[in-house]
């Protein structure tokens, strides 16, 4: 008999949905941006990406912060294993894989020596789309080291970083400063967010009205160009997280929710692998579908990237050697206890 209560199951359910939503929005963003750059024109998907720009990354990092308390309370060895060795393994592996595929382009632009230096520098500066998993361990480490600091002081530090250090040109500093405040929002407000999800399910009409107001407000902020102002960006990021919680909490359990849950439980495999089917389809579709506009091609590339990444994951995890693309081998583990268990990618 399971000892998981219905409330706990609901808590996990909407979190998986949020993970699924954010990873899909990330794939859509990269797919649409690449297609529009290639074609030199915008399509209807451009507006989808633009609308999500205020909350896509804030929600991603707020969700990551929801369960940070458990991670930072562990002893140093399992903490470093789960948050540093784990993410470094996949960062190193998939950064190298991406370099292999992109090497001809890098060599033509930077030369062989420049490409090698670029590869080596990617251990210091996060590489391309993989910056998410490069930054997450740093977020957890800073939160752990500041555990004894008052909450308000931590928020003051995060907001100051966002104001002052979001455009230094040093990518680690910039990415940390842009989104750390939302990681803290998820961490310190976790009880509020879980309670909010329960309340939304109980008061669906109020949630629907609130969502409608937020849609108008988010659109207005983007239309009038206020989204880049730091105070507005922080407020809209938090409101976007609230809206996502409300929306996912009242979403029927079938249909879209099933898709989001499926993707949320495979968010890291999708994130690691979508670049390959995205890159291939982005080059081929404009040639195969000459009557399709930028919007339709962007949509199709997004779908192919997501399905392709899932197919790669499901295939590779069943094959000898290739399953290590998604499963960290025991020799990389810092804790013997964990090394006795298979380590498939978690959804977090």
């Amino acid at each position: 008999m399971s000892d998981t209560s219905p409330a706990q199951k609901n808590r996990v359910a909407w979190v998986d949905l949020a993970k699924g939503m954010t990873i899909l929005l990330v794939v859509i963003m990269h797919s649409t941006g690449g297609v529009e750059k290639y074609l030199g024109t915008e399509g209807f998907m451009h507006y989808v990406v633009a609308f999500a720009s205020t909350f896509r990354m804030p929600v991603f990092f707020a969700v990551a912060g929801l369960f940070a308390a458990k991670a930072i309370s562990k002893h140093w060895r399992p903490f470093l294993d789960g948050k540093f060795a784990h993410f470094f393994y996949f960062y190193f592996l998939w950064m190298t894989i991406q370099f292999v595929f992109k090497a001809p382009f890098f060599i033509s632009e930077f030369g062989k020596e420049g490409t090698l230096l670029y590869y080596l520098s990617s251990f210091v500066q996060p590489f391309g789309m993989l910056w998410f998993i490069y930054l997450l361990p740093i977020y957890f480490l800073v939160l752990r080291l500041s555990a004894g600091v008052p909450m308000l002081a931590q928020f003051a530090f995060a907001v100051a970083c966002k104001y002052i250090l979001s455009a230094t040109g040093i990518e680690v500093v910039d990415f940390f400063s842009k989104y750390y405040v939302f990681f803290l929002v998820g961490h310190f407000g976790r009880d509020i967010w879980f309670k909010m999800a329960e309340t939304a399910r109980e008061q669906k009409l109020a949630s629907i009205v609130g969502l409608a107001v937020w849609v108008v407000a988010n659109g207005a902020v983007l239309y009038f160009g206020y989204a880049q102002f730091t105070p507005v960006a922080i407020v809209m990021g938090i409101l976007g997280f609230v809206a996502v919680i409300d929306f996912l909490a009242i979403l029927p359990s079938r249909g879209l929710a099933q898709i989001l849950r499926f993707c949320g439980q495979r968010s890291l495999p999708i994130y690691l692998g979508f670049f390959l089917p995205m890159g291939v389809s982005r080059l081929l579709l404009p040639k195969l579908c000459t009557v399709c506009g930028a919007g339709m091609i962007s949509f199709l590339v997004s779908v192919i990237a997501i399905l392709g990444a899932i197919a790669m994951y499901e295939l590779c995890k069943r094959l000898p050697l290739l399953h290590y693309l998604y499963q960290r081998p025991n020799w990389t583990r810092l804790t013997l206890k964990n090394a006795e268990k298979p380590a498939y990618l978690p959804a977090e």
Side-chain angles (χ1 to χ4, degrees):
M1 180 180 294
S2 172
D3 58 356
T4 304
S5 68
Q8 289 174 317
K9 290 180 180 179
N10 286 333
R11 286 161 65 129
V12 174
W14 75 260
V15 170
D16 274 341
L17 296 182
K19 292 174 181 176
M21 174 181 285
T22 53
I23 196 60
L24 294 186
L25 289 174
V26 166
V27 175
I28 290 170
M29 175 192 67
H30 285 292
S31 299
T32 301
V35 168
E36 291 179 349
K37 182 178 180 181
Y38 181 76
L39 296 178
T41 184
E42 297 176 355
F44 66 86
M45 290 297 288
H46 179 84
Y47 301 101
V48 176
V49 173
F51 184 83
S53 63
T54 59
F55 64 90
R56 179 181 56 246
M57 297 315 303
V59 171
F60 176 90
F61 286 111
V63 169
L66 286 173
F67 303 106
K70 180 178 179 181
I72 65 174
S73 64
K74 295 179 179 179
H75 293 297
W76 274 102
R77 195 176 183 88
F79 170 77
L80 292 174
D81 177 71
K83 297 304 176 188
F84 275 81
H86 181 76
F87 284 113
F88 175 79
Y89 172 79
F90 292 111
Y91 177 79
F92 165 73
L93 179 62
W94 283 90
M95 184 264 289
T96 302
I97 291 172
Q98 289 198 25
F99 252 90
V100 170
F101 281 98
K102 296 179 179 181
F105 303 100
F106 292 152
I107 291 174
S108 65
E109 184 174 355
F110 308 125
K112 293 182 179 179
E113 292 184 359
T115 299
L116 178 60
L117 289 175
Y118 186 20
Y119 176 76
L120 295 176
S121 69
S122 296
F123 291 93
V124 180
Q125 290 277 68
F127 173 74
M129 296 177 290
L130 295 177
W131 70 267
F132 292 0
I133 57 175
Y134 191 102
L135 263 292
L136 274 176
I138 298 175
Y139 280 6
F140 280 99
L141 178 62
V142 173
L143 183 63
R144 181 180 180 119
L145 293 176
S146 59
V149 178
M151 179 185 68
L152 291 180
Q154 293 192 50
F155 271 109
F157 167 74
V159 171
C161 286
K162 188 167 179 61
Y163 265 101
I164 303 170
L165 301 175
S166 291
T168 64
I170 304 173
E171 292 182 351
V172 175
V173 176
D174 292 349
F175 285 132
F176 175 88
S177 301
K178 286 179 181 178
Y179 304 114
Y180 185 60
V181 64
F182 302 111
F183 185 75
L184 294 183
V185 165
H187 171 62
F188 285 112
R190 55 192 179 276
D191 293 335
I192 297 174
W193 309 131
F194 288 130
K195 180 62 178 177
M196 181 178 294
E198 296 175 12
T199 303
R201 282 187 288 269
E202 297 168 358
Q203 302 180 19
K204 292 185 178 180
L205 180 58
S207 296
I208 293 172
V209 173
L211 284 169
V213 173
W214 168 77
V215 167
V216 173
N218 193 64
V221 165
L222 290 165
Y223 180 80
F224 290 107
Y226 295 130
Q228 300 304 316
F229 291 98
T230 299
V232 177
I234 294 174
V235 171
M236 294 310 297
I238 296 173
L239 290 180
F241 185 43
V242 171
V244 167
I245 293 172
D246 279 355
F247 173 70
L248 297 178
I250 65 175
L251 191 67
S253 59
R254 296 186 179 276
L256 178 60
Q258 290 177 306
I259 296 174
L260 294 179
R261 184 177 300 108
F262 182 85
C263 293
Q265 292 168 347
R266 294 159 179 80
S267 59
L268 194 48
I270 292 173
Y271 171 56
L272 292 173
F274 82 88
F275 81 95
L276 184 55
M278 178 190 71
V280 173
S281 59
R282 191 170 63 195
L283 294 175
L284 293 180
L285 276 177
K287 297 179 176 63
L288 297 176
C289 187
T290 55
V291 297
C292 295
M296 181 54 66
I297 292 178
S298 297
F299 174 77
L300 293 175
V301 168
S302 300
V303 173
I304 292 171
I306 294 163
L307 295 179
I310 294 172
M312 287 167 54
Y313 169 61
E314 296 296 336
L315 176 64
C316 289
K317 75 177 186 179
R318 290 170 172 79
L319 297 176
L321 297 181
L322 288 182
H323 72 279
Y324 286 113
L325 293 174
Y326 299 97
Q327 178 183 352
R328 186 156 62 104
N330 290 341
W331 59 265
T332 68
R333 298 183 172 277
L334 304 179
T335 53
L336 180 61
K337 181 178 179 181
N338 288 338
E340 297 169 353
K341 302 177 182 180
Y344 289 97
L345 287 178
E348 54 193 335

